[in-house]
Structure formats: C-alpha cells, structure tokens
Amino acid sequence: MAFRAFALTFVLLIRLSLAGATSTAIQLNETEYSILLANDVISFGLLKTTSAIQNITYQNVSLLGTVDGLTGQAYTDFPSNTFTTSGNSSYEIITGQDWAGVIFTDNDTLGSTVQRLWFLHASEPGVHSFVRLAYYNDTVASKGELGESRTMFRPNGGPWTHIITNSEQWAPLPGAAAVAEEVVVQDATWYLGLTPDDPYVIAARLTFTLQESDYFTKYQFADNQTNKAHGLFGYSPDNVTTLGAWWVVNQKDTFFGGPLHGDLMVDGIIYNKQSTNHGGATNPNITNGFDRTFGPQFLYFNHGNQSTTLQELLVDAEQFANPSWNAEFYDEIAPYVRGYAPSSVRGTFQATVTVPDGALNPVAVLSANGVEFQNSAANFSAYQYWAPVEEDGSVSIPRVKEGWYRLTVIATGIFGEYAQDNIIVSAGKVTFVSATWIAQSAGKELWRIGIPDKTAGEFRNGFERDLTHPNHPAKYRIYWGAWDYPTQFPNGVNFTIGSSNESVDWNYVHWSRFGPTYIRNETVTDINQWQINFELEEAPPADSIATFTMQLAGVETTAGNTDVASGSNPTVPILTYVNDQSQPLNWTILAYQSSSCGERSAISCHLLYNRLEFSGSWLVEGWNKFLIVLPFDAPVYVQYDALRLELNETSSK
C-alpha cells in the first residue's frame, strides 16, 4: 500500500509542476561550442554547429551518456536526403519570463531551409521540439518526395533497460552478449536465440519476469498515430530511482496519414517521426512554396522510486498527450515559431453522426479536403484531427486550424467508410455537422470472411498471442519467419464457409512464396493460390448481379514503400476465379499502392478497397468455389482485411 500511495503522490506532483503555476527563470549560458540551458530539474547543452542536444542531466543522472559519433545525442535528420543540414548552423537565442529557446537554421543555395527549435519552459522536466522545413525555388520546381524526417533521442548507454511502445508492447533491451551473438535474418532484424539467458529473451529483474521473443526487430515496437507516448525505462546507477524518457505526442495535427498510419516508435532510440514512407505511407512532394512546421512534441523525463513500474511512468507521460496542454505557452512562443498555428487561428469542430447498425468503435477524422485521410500528405499544407464518435453520436474536436477539411468516419464491422468534403472550420467559431452513414450494400450478403477493421489481425498469426513466451506478444509483431507457413498450412488455405475458423484456417498474410527464413533454407513456391468454398441452396437468377468486395490491410509489390515502379513485380494482379469460369475477376495493385507490411511486423498499412461485380449466373446450386491467385513465385504478398460476397437478384440493367 505504501507503494501505491507514493505512485499517486508522484503523479500529482508532476501534474502540479507542469501546470505552469510557478514562474521559474531559465538559466542560459554560452560557451565557444555550446548553448547550455537549465531549470531547477533538468540541464542540457545544445551543440552550436548541429543543434544536437547533449549531456542531459536529470535526477543527477546522465540520460544520453557519452557522445560517440551520432549516439549520446538528441537530433533531427533526414535519411532520404531531400533536406540536409550543413554542420554549421546559424542560431538565435530567444527568452521569455519563464522560458528560453534556441532556433537553429540551415539554408542551402537551392532554396531549402531547415530549422530545429528547442524550448525549455518553467520547471518542466523536458524539452519542447519543433522542426520547420521549407523550399522556395522558382527555377527547380520540385525536390522530390520528403521521405523520412525524424527527431531522435539516441542514448549511448545510460540508465536504460527497457523499451516501451505502449502499455501492451514493451520488453527489456537486448544485452551486450545477445548483440555480440546475434544473427541477422532481415534488415534491422536479428535472431537472439543463441543467448537464451539474455534479459530480452528471458528476463528477471525486480518485478519484471518476461520472455519476449527469440527475435528482435525495431519493427515489432511500432505503433500507429493514436500513440500518446513511447520511450525508455531504466534505473539510476544506485538502483534506487526508476527513470523514464518519453516522446510525448501532444500535438499530431502537423503529421500526415491519419490515426491508422503506423511507424517506428522505439528500439533503443526513441523516434519522433515527422514524415515517413514506412507502411506505404504517402509523404509530401517538395515543390516550390513548401513550408511546413512540425510540432510541438515534448521530450519528457520522469522518475519514481525503485518499485515504480514502467507502466506507471508511461501513464504519467501520456497525460500530456493533449493538444490543449500548454496552449498558452505555445501561443506565447508562436511569434518565434514560423508556421505554428496559435489559438487565434483555431476553431472547434462538432458533429452528430449516425452510424450503421453493427458499427463498433467509430472514429471521425478531419483531414485534407478531397483526399483519403491516409493520403493527406498530397496536400502538404493540410492538417489532421480525429476523435471517437460517442455512443450518442456526438463528436467534438477542439483546436482545429482554420481551413477546409474532409470528414471521414470509419468503424469496425462496417465495410468502406463515410466521407464528406468541404467542411469549413473558422477561427474562434464552432463548426457543426450532422452526418448519416449508410452502409454500402450490393444486395443480400451470402458470406464474409474477416472483420472489416482496417487490419488483418483476426486471422492466424495476427493479433493471436504467442503463448510460448510469457509476455504473450501479438504474433504479427514478431519476425514473420517465426511462423512457418508451409508447416502451419501443409495443404495451403482451403477455407470453407460455415465450418472453417478464420483465426486458424486463414493466415494473416497470403504469400506468393515463402522463405528462406532463419529456420527454413529453401523457398516454397506452390502457395500462391487460396481457395474459398461455399454452398448455395439454389442457383441465382440468370440476370442477377454478384459483388465480391475485397478490403485489404496491405499489399507488397516489388515497389515496396517507394511508390516507384521497380523490381520484377511492381504491379500485382489479384485474380479471383469463380467456379470454372476461364476469365477471372482482376484487381491489379499498382506500385504507388504498395506497402511493405507483414514482412515489417505490421498488421495494417496502405489500405485498399474494391468491389468486383460479375454475373450471378456464374454461381450454381450446391458447392461453389473462389480461387484467389497471386503471381507465381513472386516476392509479393497480400494481407486481407475482410472479404464479402453479396447477391442482387434484381438485374442492374
């Protein structure tokens, strides 16, 4: 009971200290190479030439460790090299009554600007971060796609022992012995089974006893944009204090892709991704006039006593993932943060939404007007917001930047979505919308496979738990080669409506070929055809129309995540043969629709939807079959969200 009392007191103290009730002067000093910032709980240095944070001290503990190359720092980089930094940044120091900040700027001769902005506020144990990217060039109209932009907390050693994606997904960091003996099985993926006593493989430290997996990959600690905070957990050198370091995603409106877009969160490095093409995500094309400020996000540090769990420190961090938190402070610094939208240009969106019967967990999304929310980066000036549709149908989203939006409503259990364009949000006003979502229907539903929820999670090896490891991680998060498809499905997928079990008899990935993997040396190629069997009591009328709906959680072509038509199979035809018909239903997935998904421990990526009509006369009384065929022996695969067959016995002619 003493521990619980401490935990509650600790969280209360943090809440009070971050409420901004006190005015604490920030200490600021310059040396030849660094700008030093400190308040009464945290101190750090900013390297003048690069803007990198170094030497963070909190609770008398060095949180980043010693600088070695790029490690031991917090910094922003651009792996796609669409933007670069010079290593000789200019900087401007700005101060307020209880805050201080530094703006670092790099300009190149081609019209590109990169700004990294760090702010320390009052007695807060953390740093506020913004990134601004701009391109102004009348001669060269485009720099290409932005690709990846990220700000990272990248320690070199330090007190950290555990990585945390969310309350469900966390594990110890692999130890030095495991890293020394690791076997590469895929990019950024290793087999650690040669060190079975490693903390990651099987751990016992204080209250932690778990076994995560024989494999480690950064991809298994990814999450989507509903994530509130993710980070690292560890112990002070004297083993008395628990410590947490977190990227708190307090404002998500300047990101792209909507709530379902997933990306890397933590793997020993804590990531704050401003833009990415992971999971087939659309990212902005950098054309003349591009000017985008990402943020703010909050790099937050907290602590407890020896018994405080990582879940409790995570809950404490998550309380600040609220766009209204610190709004007054952000408004105060807005004149110095070019591109940040202060409260004066924001309004409120409210709606009453009627959803179809059977809709579960409906969510309303505001995003770029006229564009699917997953493709919102097509309009690089667009913002994004989302909120649950409450049981009474109400939706309320505060602090929406003025502008034009598309309203999209999605829900588990319902195929498709509701979309309404030309929603206008005005500054200082409430925009109200009344919407009725009528579910798509093409007649009587004959059968469905899966739950339309934008994921392949309900199928075998998806959300299914790995019961062989005490932490019971979801199987899709583990390296895909651990689930040997030819062994699990020796006769392939042959699914019978009414008797087969989709959590056992339907795999989370439809492979064209499988292997090699760590446990399988050869490639298995005779697996590209899946069969669905179903029985009809009578033959449909000759003039009836059948509709086969395919909702996909992801498809990988050889374009990967690049959108570029490259490799042997940049497009993938998904062919569905109905009974003995010689001509299949054909849905060809294009290069820009590709996403590297299941192979990167993902269950939902670039979402696709299609309705394929055919004559009801193709169906017969008694047993029928669909044969879904992928290209033979190709490095491609499909992840199904849900499938449905409907029949309209009245001709559409």
Side-chain angles (χ1 to χ4, degrees):
M1 296 301 293
F3 159 63
R4 291 185 177 273
F6 168 82
L8 291 173
T9 303
F10 167 71
V11 172
L12 178 60
L13 288 174
I14 290 292
R15 285 177 174 161
L16 290 175
S17 68
L18 296 196
T22 60
S23 177
T24 301
I26 303 299
Q27 302 172 42
L28 190 152
N29 294 289
E30 269 193 85
T31 69
E32 182 178 358
Y33 301 106
S34 299
I35 303 165
L36 307 178
L37 294 173
N39 57 20
D40 53 1
V41 291
I42 184 176
S43 65
F44 58 90
L46 290 165
L47 192 62
K48 288 182 176 180
T49 54
T50 67
S51 79
I53 292 180
Q54 300 176 344
N55 303 318
I56 297 178
T57 300
Y58 173 69
Q59 292 294 304
N60 296 313
V61 178
S62 173
L63 301 187
L64 280 168
T66 304
V67 175
D68 183 6
L70 293 175
T71 65
Q73 303 185 94
Y75 63 95
T76 300
D77 73 356
F78 311 96
S80 304
N81 293 318
T82 305
F83 287 88
T84 58
T85 55
S86 64
N88 190 27
S89 305
S90 63
Y91 64 90
E92 177 185 6
I93 298 172
I94 50 179
T95 59
Q97 181 179 358
D98 63 348
W99 58 265
V102 185
I103 303 172
F104 293 88
T105 302
D106 284 272
N107 296 305
D108 67 19
T109 58
L110 298 178
S112 298
T113 296
V114 177
Q115 287 188 322
R116 289 84 71 216
L117 302 87
W118 303 103
F119 290 88
L120 185 60
H121 178 221
S123 294
E124 295 172 354
V127 189
H128 300 267
S129 170
F130 297 83
V131 174
R132 175 178 169 246
L133 305 175
Y135 180 68
Y136 293 93
N137 188 322
D138 293 328
T139 304
V140 181
S142 175
K143 286 171 65 74
E145 290 188 346
L146 172 57
E148 190 169 4
S149 172
R150 61 191 185 180
T151 303
M152 299 178 289
F153 178 86
R154 189 175 183 179
N156 178 29
W160 312 115
T161 59
H162 291 72
I163 51 182
I164 307 97
T165 298
N166 51 44
S167 60
E168 178 183 285
Q169 183 62 20
W170 55 275
L173 280 162
V179 173
E181 297 293 328
E182 66 191 14
V183 179
V184 177
V185 297
Q186 183 179 269
D187 71 287
T189 306
W190 300 270
Y191 176 70
L192 303 181
L194 300 180
T195 51
D197 294 328
D198 179 79
Y200 175 82
V201 183
I202 181 167
R205 179 186 175 110
L206 297 179
T207 59
F208 301 102
T209 301
L210 64 95
Q211 185 180 5
E212 173 70 10
S213 174
D214 295 336
Y215 298 91
F216 177 87
T217 173
K218 64 182 180 181
Y219 302 112
Q220 77 192 67
F221 295 94
D223 204 355
N224 63 32
Q225 288 195 104
T226 63
N227 184 277
K228 295 181 178 180
H230 50 278
L232 298 170
F233 172 90
Y235 295 84
S236 60
D238 60 9
N239 209 36
V240 171
T241 303
T242 54
L243 297 163
W246 314 94
W247 270 118
V248 176
V249 194
N250 50 318
Q251 296 199 27
K252 307 174 184 181
D253 56 355
T254 57
F255 293 161
F256 298 111
L260 304 180
H261 165 58
D263 209 339
L264 306 180
M265 296 287 147
V266 59
D267 59 3
I269 302 170
I270 318 176
Y271 298 96
N272 176 29
K273 294 291 193 78
Q274 293 92 28
S275 175
T276 182
N277 58 11
H278 284 155
T282 303
N283 59 94
N285 187 27
I286 307 304
T287 56
N288 181 33
F290 177 89
D291 201 325
R292 183 80 169 183
T293 296
F294 298 93
Q297 279 79 52
F298 187 44
L299 182 57
Y300 173 59
F301 308 105
N302 58 5
H303 70 282
N305 66 18
Q306 189 183 52
S307 299
T308 305
T309 66
L310 61 84
Q311 287 91 347
E312 288 171 310
L313 293 187
L314 171 62
V315 169
D316 171 54
E318 287 179 333
Q319 68 179 303
F320 307 115
N322 183 329
S324 297
W325 175 69
N326 248 333
E328 291 184 4
F329 167 59
Y330 293 136
D331 285 346
E332 185 176 350
I333 64 175
Y336 307 99
V337 184
R338 180 171 173 177
Y340 174 70
S343 300
S344 60
V345 298
R346 295 177 182 264
T348 298
F349 172 82
Q350 294 181 349
T352 298
V353 179
T354 302
V355 298
D357 290 341
L360 301 175
N361 306 315
V363 175
V365 183
L366 289 179
S367 61
N369 197 42
V371 180
E372 287 184 280
F373 67 75
Q374 67 177 347
N375 298 322
S376 60
N379 178 351
F380 61 69
S381 63
Y383 281 58
Q384 61 172 18
Y385 306 88
W386 57 85
V389 179
E390 304 295 345
E391 289 188 6
D392 63 358
S394 64
V395 178
S396 182
I397 305 178
R399 298 188 59 75
V400 177
K401 184 179 182 294
E402 60 187 359
W404 292 62
Y405 292 90
R406 165 177 285 193
L407 168 65
T408 305
V409 183
I410 58 176
T412 296
I414 307 299
F415 283 85
E417 60 192 25
Y418 173 87
Q420 180 179 342
D421 284 321
N422 302 321
I423 305 295
I424 302 174
V425 175
S426 301
K429 297 182 179 180
V430 176
T431 296
F432 182 81
V433 171
S434 180
T436 299
W437 180 6
I438 299 175
Q440 293 181 347
S441 175
K444 178 183 178 182
E445 183 174 308
L446 301 182
W447 52 259
R448 69 171 59 186
I449 297 173
I451 302 168
D453 63 353
K454 317 300 185 186
T455 82
E458 64 270 36
F459 304 124
R460 188 169 183 176
N461 302 317
F463 294 143
E464 177 189 0
R465 298 296 178 170
D466 177 11
L467 300 182
T468 67
H469 293 79
N471 203 34
H472 298 168
K475 285 190 172 182
Y476 81 89
R477 287 188 174 275
I478 308 304
Y479 165 59
W480 57 273
W483 321 120
D484 193 61
Y485 177 84
T487 300
Q488 292 182 334
F489 293 87
N491 300 312
V493 169
N494 195 330
F495 191 91
T496 299
I497 302 297
S499 61
S500 294
N501 183 341
E502 61 193 26
S503 66
V504 176
D505 302 315
W506 191 276
N507 196 42
Y508 79 127
V509 179
H510 182 174
W511 305 102
S512 170
R513 68 187 189 195
F514 188 89
T517 67
Y518 181 75
I519 59 176
R520 176 178 290 276
N521 293 325
E522 75 279 4
T523 300
V524 179
T525 60
D526 59 344
I527 58 174
N528 61 310
Q529 301 184 16
W530 284 14
Q531 184 165 316
I532 303 171
N533 312 295
F534 58 98
E535 190 174 16
L536 297 181
E537 293 183 354
E538 58 183 10
D543 63 349
S544 62
I545 300 296
T547 301
F548 182 40
T549 298
M550 304 182 78
Q551 196 157 289
L552 307 180
V555 181
E556 182 172 38
T557 79
T558 52
N561 291 327
T562 67
D563 292 347
V564 177
S566 58
S568 60
N569 299 83
T571 62
V572 172
I574 304 174
L575 306 179
T576 303
Y577 289 87
V578 180
N579 289 326
D580 296 323
Q581 295 294 320
S582 60
Q583 293 299 315
L585 308 174
N586 184 354
W587 182 12
T588 297
I589 308 302
L590 303 178
Y592 74 88
Q593 297 172 313
S594 173
S595 55
S596 183
C597 198
E599 284 188 330
R600 300 297 182 270
S601 299
I603 202 70
S604 175
C605 292
H606 190 85
L607 306 169
L608 300 169
Y609 176 88
N610 202 359
R611 302 169 75 193
L612 304 169
E613 289 188 353
F614 61 95
S615 171
S617 64
W618 290 12
L619 304 174
V620 299
E621 180 182 351
W623 284 102
N624 294 260
K625 70 176 181 180
F626 280 12
L627 199 63
I628 305 177
V629 181
L630 303 183
F632 177 74
D633 191 16
V636 303
Y637 58 84
V638 173
Q639 290 175 265
Y640 301 102
D641 173 12
L643 307 174
R644 176 171 67 173
L645 180 62
E646 298 169 288
L647 183 67
N648 187 342
E649 296 189 353
T650 302
S651 173
S652 60
K653 295 181 181 179

